[in-house]
Amino acid sequence: MPRRGLILQTRTHWLLLGLALLCSLVLFLYLLECAPQTDGNAPLPGVIGENYGKEYYQALLQEQEEHYQTRATSLKRQIAQLKQELQEMSEKMRSLQERKNIGANGIGYQGNKEQTPSDLLEFLHSQIDKAEVSIGAKLPSEYGVIPFESFTLMKVFQLEMGLTRHPEEKPVRKDKRDELVEVIEAGLEVINNPDEDDEQEDEDGPLGEKMIFNENDFIEGYYRTERDKGTQYELFFKKADLMEYRHVTLFRPFGPLMKVKSEMIDITRSIINIIVPLAERTEAFVQFMQNFSESNFHNYTLVSLNEEFNRGRGLNVGARAWDKGEVLMFFCDVDIYFSAEFLNSCRLNAEPGKKVFYPVVFSLYNPAIVYASQDVPPPVEQQLVHKKDSGFWRDFGFGMTCQYRSDFLTIGGFDMEVKGWGGEDVHLYRKYLHGDLIVIRTPVPGLFHLWHEKRCADELTPEQYRMCIQSKAMNEASHSHLGMLVFREEIETHLHKQAYRTNSEAVG
């Protein structure tokens, strides 16, 4: 790259030198043109014997002026052309310099052994060759398969549901909707305006016109993503009065990694106010304070409210009770177990005026069911494991959050109209989603929701009561453990038969 830049720079110097010489030549020609032309054989005007009138001199002067104007116009045109060539050469040099700088800044940075091609288009095509699009890949087991998810114009059929998504649903997220709409439009463009190398014949309509497909002709599609390569789309189109299907395969390759920023974050002086609303629940509060002290926290303040319990109201009061300026707040519940590492995650993922942190809590199941084979459930510290039968990621809960006090006050805090259990955290979460701040939403390993028996009060609204019952059902046990409870009698009958058969064989 430096060698090419040197060549371009040398060319530019020669071009400037040529321009200077050309200007000198033009000036010389101009002086020659301005000099009076003489002919040794021709009589000079004004000599005695020659009778020239005023009109002759005016015509001669006009002729000379037109000659000079034509010459000046020609010179201006040549100078403009030279300026344009010089500008184009400068732009080429600037473009090459930018490509050099981009390469130095790591546009093609990859953490593996492969070198990113200098040509980005070549790299994107190589991503298609690496992906399992045209040729199958050898996999170690059935768990290595990357499954497709299917979709139509209105529905997406998905395997990974979590606890809030459904096997079949409309694409709720805007990015997913936009993605699928773009893919279908791209498929229609391929069919309606085929390239010369596409394996399809042009079909005419009943009146001889070119057949055009639209989104109503889309039947179904499949997509899957290889995280390090890109997303593959298989699209199928069909006209209602035809038997043939049109199949289009598209691939959205992932580009090379690009550095966005690199910074140092000092969290040593970052204070966190842990705000916990509490009503009754004294045993849970004792457990919470024990965890609190083990995390090397000793300073706390109790704010007493003599009124009906309202979680949003309690958190609002706790946030406004601090009068020492800006501070990071962690809205917490008494049945939450957190580690010191989680609090560092809190500090790293919240930034005043820019980011709020909404971690996903790992919610533990009823220990009496999880550890039913043991006489007594183990201590709480030994229950803090991430296993399928021990708990689940509570991706429908938004009560645990880290945010700065200024952001909380600016957005208006919690909705005081929400009474009793649930709903206030969702309202606050939606406020941030509708605002300009970045919402960091991710599961974290150091945050657990401890199981406790849940009571759904009769005073709740129908919507709150439904949410409470759903939460109660999800908190109890895993699918397999609930199945064991449902079929308990059948299992016990089977065990009795097995024991009877064993005893009979032993006696015989």
Side-chain angles (χ1 to χ4, degrees):
M1 184 65 72
R3 187 176 178 182
R4 293 178 61 187
L6 182 60
I7 294 173
L8 289 176
Q9 189 174 6
T10 304
R11 290 180 179 176
T12 305
H13 290 162
W14 281 109
L15 183 62
L16 293 174
L17 181 59
L19 181 61
L21 292 175
L22 180 62
C23 291
S24 301
L25 179 60
V26 169
L27 181 61
F28 179 71
L29 292 175
Y30 180 79
L31 293 175
L32 290 178
E33 293 291 342
C34 290
Q37 298 182 358
T38 61
D39 189 352
N41 298 322
L44 292 175
V47 178
I48 299 175
E50 297 290 339
N51 212 358
Y52 292 96
K54 180 179 179 181
E55 291 80 4
Y56 172 80
Y57 290 104
Q58 288 179 343
L60 182 62
L61 182 62
Q62 184 176 358
E63 181 182 352
Q64 291 291 335
E65 184 177 355
E66 290 177 354
H67 174 76
Y68 294 147
Q69 288 179 352
T70 303
R71 187 62 180 167
T73 302
S74 176
L75 291 175
K76 288 180 180 179
R77 187 184 306 112
Q78 294 179 31
I79 293 173
Q81 290 177 350
L82 290 172
K83 286 183 177 180
Q84 183 177 359
E85 292 178 2
L86 181 61
Q87 183 178 0
E88 291 176 354
M89 186 65 68
S90 300
E91 290 177 354
K92 288 181 180 179
M93 291 183 62
R94 189 183 304 112
S95 176
L96 291 174
Q97 186 64 33
E98 289 176 354
R99 289 181 61 181
K100 177 182 176 181
N101 294 337
I102 290 174
N105 290 336
I107 186 173
Y109 171 81
Q110 284 185 321
N112 52 28
K113 298 180 181 179
E114 299 176 358
Q115 296 293 326
T116 303
S118 58
D119 186 352
L120 181 58
L121 185 59
E122 181 183 347
F123 173 80
L124 297 179
H125 280 292
S126 70
Q127 292 286 72
I128 302 177
D129 297 334
K130 295 176 187 176
E132 191 179 356
V133 178
S134 302
I135 303 176
K138 295 181 179 180
L139 303 174
S141 68
E142 64 273 20
Y143 300 108
V145 174
I146 302 176
F148 284 88
E149 293 186 346
S150 61
F151 64 98
T152 63
L153 277 177
M154 301 299 296
K155 297 290 182 65
V156 175
F157 305 89
Q158 52 206 2
L159 291 175
E160 298 181 4
M161 296 179 293
L163 291 170
T164 57
R165 299 166 65 189
H166 304 281
E168 171 193 308
E169 67 179 15
K170 295 181 179 180
V172 177
R173 280 175 26 195
K174 182 179 183 299
D175 62 329
K176 176 59 67 176
R177 291 198 309 269
D178 293 346
E179 174 196 11
L180 298 182
V181 169
E182 179 189 6
V183 166
I184 294 174
E185 290 178 350
L188 290 171
E189 177 67 21
V190 170
I191 294 176
N192 293 328
N193 299 290
D195 295 332
E196 293 181 358
D197 56 349
D198 287 341
E199 298 179 359
Q200 63 182 41
E201 298 179 358
D202 293 337
E203 296 187 24
D204 296 332
L207 300 178
E209 75 281 5
K210 180 182 177 181
M211 185 174 295
I212 300 297
F213 284 74
N214 56 47
E215 62 273 6
N216 295 324
D217 301 318
F218 176 69
I219 304 302
E220 63 180 357
Y222 309 101
Y223 68 93
R224 67 175 177 181
T225 299
E226 296 184 56
R227 298 298 178 88
D228 59 336
K229 301 178 183 68
T231 303
Q232 175 186 353
Y233 304 91
E234 302 290 341
L235 310 176
F236 297 90
F237 299 84
K238 181 182 178 297
K239 285 287 186 182
D241 53 349
L242 296 179
M243 294 300 296
E244 296 83 5
Y245 284 79
R246 292 291 183 91
H247 174 211
V248 177
T249 299
L250 300 176
F251 192 80
R252 188 193 302 273
F254 294 156
L257 295 176
M258 297 180 63
K259 182 184 74 176
V260 177
K261 67 176 179 179
S262 177
E263 61 182 350
M264 181 178 295
I265 302 177
D266 183 10
I267 62 173
T268 55
R269 299 182 180 179
S270 179
I271 299 175
I272 296 183
N273 279 359
I274 304 174
I275 305 176
V276 183
L278 179 66
E280 302 175 348
R281 304 288 305 281
T282 53
E283 294 182 3
F285 184 62
V286 171
Q287 174 68 46
F288 179 87
M289 291 304 297
Q290 181 180 349
N291 175 34
F292 185 82
S293 59
E294 290 175 354
S295 301
N296 295 323
F297 288 91
H298 305 287
N299 299 326
Y300 60 91
T301 302
L302 293 177
V303 179
S304 179
L305 297 178
N306 187 18
E307 57 187 61
E308 182 183 359
F309 176 73
N310 182 311
R311 183 177 184 273
R313 162 75 173 154
L315 292 173
N316 264 341
V317 171
R320 298 175 188 277
W322 178 264
D323 57 0
K324 299 179 182 179
E326 183 70 290
V327 69
L328 176 60
M329 305 182 300
F330 170 36
F331 292 153
C332 187
D333 283 340
V334 72
D335 45 25
I336 292 295
Y337 184 100
F338 58 86
S339 64
E341 290 75 14
F342 164 74
L343 295 178
N344 286 337
S345 299
C346 229
R347 295 182 174 101
L348 293 172
N349 289 287
E351 185 176 345
K354 189 169 184 180
K355 295 188 296 186
V356 292
F357 186 40
Y358 272 85
V360 180
V361 182
F362 192 78
S363 190
L364 298 177
Y365 290 131
N366 186 347
I369 298 177
V370 175
Y371 305 99
S373 59
Q374 303 180 20
D375 295 335
V376 178
V380 171
E381 291 75 11
Q382 298 180 19
Q383 299 179 28
L384 305 178
V385 292
H386 301 92
K387 292 185 177 180
K388 189 174 182 179
D389 285 335
S390 63
F392 63 97
W393 291 112
R394 201 181 187 90
D395 58 356
F396 57 86
F398 308 97
M400 308 309 115
T401 173
C402 299
Q403 50 194 259
Y404 275 86
R405 185 173 183 269
S406 59
D407 295 329
F408 177 77
L409 297 179
T410 299
I411 209 165
F414 286 100
D415 185 357
M416 294 293 94
E417 300 299 322
V418 179
K419 304 295 182 183
W421 184 92
E424 79 291 330
D425 52 351
V426 180
H427 283 79
L428 180 64
Y429 184 66
R430 288 173 179 168
K431 284 183 180 181
Y432 282 116
L433 296 181
H434 298 159
D436 297 328
L437 271 65
I438 301 173
V439 176
I440 306 296
R441 179 74 167 161
T442 179
V444 290
L447 194 62
F448 293 87
H449 176 265
L450 304 179
W451 182 89
H452 60 87
E453 188 173 0
K454 190 175 293 290
R455 186 183 69 87
C456 299
D458 295 334
E459 295 80 12
L460 298 176
T461 64
E463 178 64 17
Q464 287 178 322
Y465 190 83
R466 183 185 63 82
M467 293 170 57
C468 184
I469 290 296
Q470 285 181 345
S471 177
K472 183 175 182 178
M474 291 181 177
N475 284 342
E476 204 63 25
S478 66
H479 192 111
S480 59
H481 279 151
L482 289 176
M484 297 293 286
L485 293 175
V486 171
F487 298 109
R488 177 185 297 175
E489 294 184 3
E490 183 176 338
I491 295 172
E492 291 179 352
T493 301
H494 171 75
L495 293 177
H496 283 308
K497 289 181 179 180
Q498 289 288 88
Y500 178 77
R501 184 178 299 120
T502 303
N503 292 334
S504 299
E505 292 175 355
V507 172

